[in-house]
Amino acid sequence: RPWATDKLASQEQLVAGRSIWIRDRFGFPPEETADMEHKIEIEVSEPCVFRATTHHSDGVDVFVALSRKGETERACKTLKHPGPVPRQTIFCMLQPGTYVLTFFADYPLGGLHP
């Protein structure tokens, strides 16, 4: 059975811990601005509680989805926050496996730039 520390020797980006809070501003990479979609692969090695939330963004509505790698069905339900600001949260229990967290965006009013 592979050890969890085996990943440390690889070239993959790794974040490990019991409680991880990553909070940062996000912008779509230049090569992804046409599709307005960015995928992050997440490998879960033990059952965990997972939460991802979008926050207010100026001029664009940002959405989030989580699915198992290679599947289109969502692994967790995405919930919309009440109120006028389009925010979403994913909050669920994940079992070990590989998942894809997808951020995607849309301009309001059918794609018209603000």
Side-chain angles (χ1 to χ4, degrees):
R1 179 175 180 166
W3 293 88
T5 54
D6 291 346
K7 290 283 185 181
L8 296 174
S10 73
Q11 296 298 319
E12 296 179 28
Q13 295 179 0
L14 177 72
V15 178
R18 292 286 175 212
S19 178
I20 301 168
W21 180 322
I22 300 172
R23 184 175 180 151
D24 200 357
R25 294 182 64 92
F26 173 79
F28 286 95
E31 65 274 9
E32 295 175 352
T33 54
D35 294 334
M36 298 290 275
E37 183 175 291
H38 182 70
K39 296 180 183 293
I40 300 171
E41 190 171 298
I42 299 171
E43 186 175 328
V44 176
S45 59
E46 61 186 67
C48 70
V49 175
F50 177 82
R51 179 178 175 221
T53 301
T54 63
H55 289 273
H56 176 72
S57 63
D58 293 324
V60 67
D61 296 337
V62 179
F63 304 95
V64 64
L66 183 72
S67 60
R68 283 191 171 271
K69 184 176 180 179
E71 297 180 13
T72 56
E73 183 178 336
R74 292 189 181 190
C76 300
K77 184 177 180 180
T78 302
L79 303 172
K80 183 184 180 308
H81 288 238
V85 178
R87 292 177 50 196
Q88 294 189 329
T89 292
I90 294 173
F91 186 76
C92 66
M93 184 75 173
L94 292 183
Q95 295 303 315
T98 304
Y99 297 85
V100 177
L101 180 64
T102 304
F103 290 93
F104 53 100
D106 194 17
Y107 288 105
L109 303 173
L112 296 176
H113 292 261

